[in-house]
Amino acid sequence: MTVEIELKFVATSEAVAALPEIISRLKAEGGAVQQLSNTYYDTAEGTLRCHRIGLRVRGCNDSWEMTLKSAGNTVGGVAHRAEHNIPLPSGKLDIALLPTDVWPVDVDVSALQTQLQPLFTTDFQRQSWLVKFQQSQIEIAIDQGHITAGEASEAISELEMELKQGNAADILTLAQQLTSVKGLRLGSQSKAARGYGLLSDDTAIVITPMDVLIVPERATVEQGLEASLEWAFAYWQRNEACWFDGVPQAQSAVNHSLTAIRQILALFGGIIPRKATAPLRERLTELEQQLEVAQEAAAVCYQPGYLQLKLALMAWVMNKGWRIFIDDKGKQKLAGSFKRFADIMLSRCKSELKEAFNKKLTNDGYNDQQSRLERQIINFYLLSGAYDKELSLPYIEVWQKLFDAEGDRDTLRRNAMEQPLFWLNSSQHV
């Protein structure tokens, strides 16, 4: 077994044409082109997909390989997945060759072998290079082709970077050197996920509402910070995909994602000094100003500066870029309990809301408080994962109704103000 660590970009045809020259400047080895044919398997009921497992057989130059990938996780926006690669004598699937421990305990492997069937294919040309960069070896590949599921088909035009050896952070540093090419944006779906979408005729993407961040049990403040930024980044990626899909209000949702990132930096600002976040905040401001007027997604998201901001944020999280600005007292605070941090910050949120909404306001008064209310609602989503969700989510929803003006504002204001404080009434402690 290996752990696949990769970064994926969607690339326009102009970017694909420009990339080989840029990559050649990196003293890269290779550049050969291969034709890859991949068939993905699952049961009719989608057993593997339910377990977030991908299974394929790849053919290349009369050789065959079976690959199983687990769901894995994302660290600093870079995907980490367990991967098992098994050579095959032909293109026939044989899961008996895989280690037995790759399967979830509730999967009957013998039955699974008889139920698996080919679902969709990906056929593409891959031009790849191996780059020695800092302490790492990184494969860079350009893929062009198609995903096919029955009568449905979708183009593949991607740039992939995979760590073969070394430090995952080096992928992000190397990626910054490719951002001079216009027409790249971070990909949010794997080829397999896109294939399943075609198969189900469900390629439309809808805006997913913000949800409570669930932190690990007994998380430290620093772990809460990392989880918060990962949460906001994933929310940004989903909203961006909606924007490209033409979903109404998606540009506004992207802006909301940026507000969430800015609010996270403010929430932890009592520990992390402003100079540690100044470059990120400056880039956030530039993008927020650009999004003040309606834009086409491609006109914004394929710009080098947009991608550079994402990569900078990812690198800041992966490298824990705040640590070099923290003194011993700050380190002690970061090592403290995120639950206690949440207790304190939630009470401050309520105090700020009480100051703003302790009396009836005019329509202009409510409008003036919208930005403050938006920030505090984001705080609630960030800080509520340490408590009983059955208490915290309804609490947040009442404030959200006031923000959305779903009814008489004064009635909504009074309902919100009169709610019991869930962080003082919850029996769940982390």
Side-chain angles (χ1 to χ4, degrees), residues 114-393:
T114 63
Q115 296 166 1
L116 288 170
Q117 58 188 19
L119 297 183
F120 55 88
T121 62
T122 63
D123 295 281
F124 55 91
Q125 281 191 340
R126 166 167 288 180
Q127 185 176 12
S128 59
W129 298 261
L130 188 64
V131 177
K132 294 180 180 179
F133 181 75
Q134 296 184 2
Q135 304 301 313
S136 302
Q137 290 186 345
I138 299 169
E139 182 184 66
I140 302 177
I142 300 172
D143 294 342
Q144 297 179 84
H146 290 86
I147 304 170
T148 304
E151 298 298 319
S153 181
E154 189 173 288
I156 296 171
S157 184
E158 298 176 342
L159 170 72
E160 290 190 357
M161 302 178 67
E162 181 178 348
L163 182 70
K164 294 300 185 180
Q165 180 181 331
N167 182 0
D170 288 343
I171 287 185
L172 295 174
T173 305
L174 181 59
Q176 285 282 12
Q177 297 192 22
L178 302 178
T179 59
S180 60
V181 176
K182 183 179 179 180
L184 292 176
R185 67 182 180 91
L186 280 175
S188 57
Q189 286 188 304
S190 66
K191 294 181 181 70
R194 293 171 63 192
Y196 276 111
L198 282 177
L199 188 70
S200 62
D201 194 26
D202 182 21
T203 55
I205 302 174
V206 297
I207 294 176
T208 304
M210 189 171 279
D211 199 4
V212 170
L213 167 67
I214 305 300
V215 296
E217 193 170 328
R218 296 184 179 84
T220 65
V221 174
E222 185 170 47
Q223 288 170 331
L225 168 62
E226 293 171 296
S228 296
L229 289 168
E230 295 280 6
W231 169 87
F233 191 84
Y235 186 61
W236 184 1
Q237 284 287 90
R238 292 196 303 272
N239 290 331
E240 180 187 302
C242 293
W243 195 9
F244 268 88
D245 208 42
V247 176
Q249 305 302 317
Q251 180 178 330
S252 176
V254 168
N255 239 337
H256 187 53
S257 307
L258 304 180
T259 301
I261 293 170
R262 185 180 292 281
Q263 189 55 31
I264 291 167
L265 300 180
L267 184 67
F268 292 86
I271 303 174
I272 299 172
R274 286 179 62 82
K275 61 184 177 181
T277 62
L280 291 174
R281 287 184 288 104
E282 182 178 347
R283 288 182 171 181
L284 282 170
T285 299
E286 292 173 357
L287 180 54
E288 287 165 336
Q289 290 173 347
Q290 189 177 2
L291 295 180
E292 288 177 355
V293 297
Q295 301 266 11
E296 292 293 330
V300 176
C301 302
Y302 281 128
Q303 291 296 327
Y306 184 89
L307 179 57
Q308 288 163 5
L309 169 57
K310 281 192 171 183
L311 293 174
L313 178 63
M314 293 161 65
W316 198 71
V317 176
M318 180 173 286
N319 297 323
K320 304 184 192 299
W322 52 86
R323 286 191 173 180
I324 60 174
F325 297 93
I326 303 296
D327 58 18
D328 289 341
K329 185 177 180 181
K331 291 176 183 177
Q332 290 179 356
K333 290 180 179 179
L334 286 176
S337 164
F338 181 72
K339 168 63 171 57
R340 286 195 208 95
F341 177 82
D343 287 340
I344 295 168
M345 300 311 293
L346 283 168
S347 294
R348 291 182 182 177
C349 293
K350 181 56 190 295
S351 295
E352 185 165 338
L353 290 172
K354 183 178 179 181
E355 178 185 343
F357 297 103
N358 64 346
K359 61 182 179 181
K360 185 175 181 178
L361 301 174
T362 64
N363 281 336
D364 287 343
Y366 280 113
N367 293 336
D368 289 343
Q369 296 298 335
Q370 282 293 86
S371 294
R372 174 185 279 189
L373 180 54
E374 180 184 24
R375 293 194 301 270
Q376 298 311 322
I377 290 172
I378 291 171
N379 281 342
F380 286 137
Y381 279 116
L382 289 168
L383 297 166
S384 299
Y387 309 88
D388 187 344
K389 195 171 181 179
E390 292 185 2
L391 297 176
S392 63
L393 199 54

